[in-house]
Amino acid sequence: MGLLAIGTPLEWPEAKKVASHVRSWGIEQLLAIWRDYKGKERDALLWGDEIEYLVVCYDQNNHKVRLSLRQADILAALATDEKLLAEGGGVPDVQTGDTKGIANPAPVFHPEFGRFMLEATPGKPWGIGFKDLLDVEPNMKWRRKIAREHMEASEFPITLTTFPRLGNKDTLIPDYPPSGPKLRSQFVPDEIANPHIRFPTLAANIRWRRGRKVQVNVPVFKDENTPWPWKDPTVNYDLHNWPEDDDVRNGAAPDNFIHMDAMAFGMGSCCLQITFQAKNIEEGRTMYDQLSPLGPILLALTAATPIYKGFLADTDVRWNQISRAVDDRTPEELGEQPLKNDRWRLPKSRYASNSTYISQDPRLRKEYLDPDLIVDEDLKKRLIEGGMDNALATHFAHLFIRDPIVVFNEDLKELDLTKADHFENLQSTNWQHMRFKPPPIGSEIGWRVEFRPMEIQITDFENAAFSIFIVLITRAILSFNLNFYIPITRVSENMETAHIRDAVSSQKFWFRKSPFPAQPASRSNGPGTSTPANMPSRPPTPGPVEDEYEQMSVNEIINGQNKEGGFPGLIPLVESYLNSMNVDVETRCDLATYLDLIRKRANGTYWTAAKWIRNFVQTHPDYKKDSVVSDEITYDLVKAAEQITKEEGHDGLGKEMLGSRR
Ligand code: ADP
Ligand code: MG
Ligand code: MG
Ligand code: MG
Ligand code: MG
Ligand code: MG
């Protein structure tokens, strides 16, 4: 999450009144950053990953596992550990980047939305060296070890995306009754959220803006004994604490869907994110665009979320649930009522796949852009007057169609151009699958790009593998100037496809046929022919956009198409890049272990975590083929996940996901 400002947050009706004001100040702050940093050059190619954990607490005697709400205590223990602080780790000032000159600083820990969550990053960003890549997995293991050491003996930091029974009775410790004033959820208490005022205010104001609670509905998985039509048996239709209790009486919980009603069901999910620093803004914009079409592919490949609220779901990933959990659109914006008070119909939640491309790359054809993209034209005009080009101004004017949700009274007194609080307010509550991060004003940090779609994996080995793969493909993109452009609306379509159960083996995704430049017509006679001096060399005339891409399986995208002139595959592209870099044999060997995991996940040899978890549930003796994931199953599943985290398949458990790794 972003910076944790302190102050008095406005309730929604007051925040709404100052929304335009915050937006225009945010745009001025963005322009100040733009002026200062647009010409910044030669920044190092740094990168860093973020790992999110669920803190679980075992009750061995009763075969019960709950979520521990001790985030604040654990962070306090980390922040006061003198040894850890001396090693440069712990809980440092946000983003100062100060590692006290320590070469291998200890990891750092951050709060997250859920009071049962923890986030950890390396003590300093990774560098460009190949050797750094081999430090990632040990560092992730170090993080988990430190986290564990600052917990109680009954607790463990687990990397499942979601807690299988979140939203059921007796799943939290300490326990609180649901139906608090902020979330008004009938399933989870307000105490589920980080108590820092920003988080409950975010949840409350999203609900308030919408005019009802969020509706996080996931299709239930229909098994042999699942009653059909299925009615979520945990929904209470007779609650009368809040006006929002009417939601379910007004149809918020349709048949055959698992119904959830609070931000915690989405923002309480764990993911794996990678941030890159580019050498300059242009390179950052290229990385943003070229990684964008890879988002849905990596979402499908890392699928790990087959259970919600104690039921098997008919989808495999978390993405749309988070999207719905923070969807603040009003009935007018959703198209349910005629537009009267609101400005636009909005096709997407503020948590959604990317909606536009931002590079000034001549290969970016206008046909790849969404003709229906909604932008705030006044703010765009201001950005252009301020010197920003059309593509980037469009991107930010699109993010700024949203209202700021959490506004602190203290920040409204005067516009401070040495700060970025108003800009970050909008930027950090637009959760797309990539984020273009401008430098923090006044810092030495460069332009950064964040890759956000991946689901957290059970083991540090897998999390390292996916991080390293994304780093290497990014290097290959830059080194070979690869082109993955397809129309952005196809990327959004792919994002939906990625949700389908076992999409990695059962579905096809839109993908560009060739990542290489088209051969100019004058050179089609093959290498060696050159353009005669008296004839101007003309760039190839581009054909119809539809001819540039087709539907491919994840296996074809990752490992290559088995046909003449077919897509070469992301792993073979990474291999060519490594070949071109003369990586030493030992490093190359170590990297091969990681690439092998990706290759085999894509070709179906290894299972995704979603498939493994589903299979674990369906073969558990307590499973009655009725989609119910009981307490008993949950206990064994979480225990198994812990064991896999420690043994990484060496003892045979989880080998379908990991191989036997001998
Ligand atoms: P957020 O939660 O806003 O996405 P975080 O501060 O949690 O961001 O961390 C993002 C990642 O970026 C961390 O892994 C961190 O090590 C890394 N990072 C920090 N500074 C840089 C930088 N200058 N370039 C690239 N990565 C960086
Ligand atoms: Mg996080
Ligand atoms: Mg973070
Ligand atoms: Mg974060
Ligand atoms: Mg942060
Ligand atoms: Mg992040």
Side-chain angles (χ1 to χ4, degrees), residues 522-531:
S522 56
R523 290 193 198 142
S524 59
N525 296 337
T529 47
S530 59
T531 314

Side-chain angles (χ1 to χ4, degrees), residues 156-388:
F156 191 81
I158 206 114
T159 39
L160 290 173
T161 53
T162 50
F163 186 72
R165 287 182 60 81
L166 176 64
N168 281 272
K169 291 196 174 67
D170 193 21
T171 45
L172 306 174
I173 184 159
D175 206 7
Y176 298 90
S179 198
K182 296 288 184 192
L183 302 187
R184 305 190 182 180
S185 167
Q186 60 160 278
F187 306 110
V188 292
D190 281 2
E191 288 81 359
I192 196 101
N194 183 323
H196 187 290
I197 191 64
R198 183 186 128 85
F199 298 99
T201 308
L202 191 58
N205 284 359
I206 284 174
R207 174 178 50 68
W208 208 330
R209 189 181 190 286
R210 266 177 74 82
R212 53 192 161 175
K213 286 186 288 184
V214 292
Q215 285 176 16
V216 185
N217 290 334
V218 196
V220 71
F221 172 72
K222 184 173 188 287
D223 212 336
E224 273 171 46
N225 300 331
T226 311
W228 211 259
W230 185 81
K231 294 184 191 304
D232 184 335
T234 63
V235 174
N236 181 351
Y237 289 89
D238 301 317
L239 212 59
H240 294 275
N241 295 339
W242 307 104
E244 288 79 2
D245 291 328
D246 285 341
D247 289 358
V248 288
R249 290 183 283 273
N250 294 332
D255 282 358
N256 306 335
F257 285 85
I258 305 162
H259 172 64
M260 294 166 282
D261 64 352
M263 187 163 161
F265 288 105
M267 282 293 176
S269 327
C270 299
C271 62
L272 170 65
Q273 297 174 335
I274 315 291
T275 295
F276 297 96
Q277 175 168 280
K279 72 169 190 262
N280 56 28
I281 188 172
E282 266 321 312
E283 188 183 79
R285 293 167 70 166
T286 300
M287 284 161 71
Y288 181 95
D289 281 9
Q290 296 305 329
L291 287 174
S292 190
L294 306 189
I297 313 306
L298 269 294
L299 178 61
L301 205 49
T302 54
T305 318
I307 306 173
Y308 277 98
K309 222 180 62 173
F311 303 106
L312 281 178
D314 203 27
T315 54
D316 267 1
V317 301
R318 77 200 189 289
W319 188 266
N320 280 345
Q321 281 69 256
I322 313 182
S323 174
R324 294 186 181 118
V326 291
D327 189 352
D328 69 343
R329 287 175 296 172
T330 65
E332 291 182 25
E333 288 168 342
L334 285 163
E336 295 173 1
Q337 290 172 12
L339 269 183
K340 223 171 78 204
N341 302 309
D342 290 318
R343 297 187 290 172
W344 301 287
R345 288 271 156 81
L346 298 176
K348 284 174 168 181
S349 163
R350 57 199 296 156
Y351 188 113
S353 58
N354 289 9
S355 291
T356 193
Y357 291 117
I358 63 172
S359 174
Q360 291 186 300
D361 190 331
R363 298 173 305 177
L364 171 51
R365 298 175 62 176
K366 67 175 186 319
E367 293 93 327
Y368 303 149
L369 300 171
D370 179 1
D372 300 322
L373 184 77
I374 295 164
V375 296
D376 185 317
E377 293 295 345
D378 293 337
L379 296 179
K380 180 172 167 184
K381 192 160 149 271
R382 175 64 197 124
L383 287 170
I384 287 176
E385 275 167 18
M388 195 176 281

Side-chain angles (χ1 to χ4, degrees), residues 1 50 52 112 119 273:
M1 306 300 287
E50 296 168 71
E52 291 172 341
E112 254 300 336
E119 180 183 301
Q273 297 174 335

Side-chain angles (χ1 to χ4, degrees), residues 585-603:
V585 177
E586 204 184 319
T587 309
R588 188 69 192 262
C589 233
D590 290 334
L591 293 177
T593 317
Y594 297 121
L595 297 179
D596 198 49
L597 179 82
I598 312 295
R599 183 183 288 122
K600 290 182 174 157
R601 280 281 165 85
N603 71 18

